[in-house]
Amino acid sequence: LILNINAMAIFFTRDNFVLAFPLLAVCSTYAFFKFIPLQYGLPVLGVIALTLKARNKIIESRSTDEHIDKTIVQDLVSDEDALIAKQNEKAQKKLRKSEQKLRERLKAERRNTANKKKEAADEDDDGEIITAFAKGARGKKGR
């Protein structure tokens, strides 16, 4: 006989379990004390209660340890992040300084080349004036 689990889901739902839980608890408690003598049943219940309490304390202590570990890790990581950020800032400052020096050097070179061109143009003008003067004197004699 093979039962389809989906077909059984009609009867075993969470809503049905919530409604039936009080009746199940009362019946289970009655059956426990009816069929198990008190001299064995009470110590078993005590052991179960202590086990659950100890388990809850262990879970609680682990969760606080994890929380403490997480905060310690975050503190350490934030310190490392701060150091990395400082290093990045220093590297950016060096990069900006080198770029600024490069720009200044290029501006100075442009000024120098512009000044040299002006001086060369002035020298060429002087040379043209002198050659025109020299030609002019020869050309007048030939006429």
Side-chain angles (χ1 to χ4, degrees), residues 19-35:
L19 292 173
F21 187 73
L23 180 63
L24 292 173
V26 169
C27 292
S28 299
T29 306
Y30 175 76
F32 182 79
F33 287 113
K34 176 74 175 170
F35 297 115

Side-chain angles (χ1 to χ4, degrees), residues 54-113:
R55 180 177 172 254
N56 288 338
K57 281 188 178 183
I58 290 171
I59 290 172
E60 188 176 311
S61 68
R62 284 184 183 169
S63 66
T64 57
D65 289 344
E66 288 176 8
H67 183 280
I68 291 170
D69 291 343
K70 287 179 183 177
T71 57
I72 291 171
V73 169
Q74 287 176 349
D75 290 342
L76 293 174
V77 169
S78 65
D79 291 342
E80 291 175 4
D81 288 342
L83 291 174
I84 291 171
K86 286 181 183 179
Q87 290 175 353
N88 288 340
E89 287 180 26
K90 287 180 183 179
Q92 289 177 354
K93 283 182 182 179
K94 286 182 181 179
L95 182 62
R96 280 188 233 130
K97 284 182 181 180
S98 64
E99 287 177 356
Q100 186 177 4
K101 286 180 183 179
L102 179 64
R103 287 182 196 139
E104 289 176 3
R105 192 182 75 205
L106 290 174
K107 285 181 184 178
E109 287 178 6
R110 287 180 194 150
R111 287 181 198 144
N112 289 339
T113 55

Side-chain angles (χ1 to χ4, degrees), residues 130-143:
I130 293 172
T131 55
F133 179 73
K135 286 182 183 178
R138 288 185 194 159
K140 286 184 183 177
K141 285 184 181 179
R143 283 186 183 178

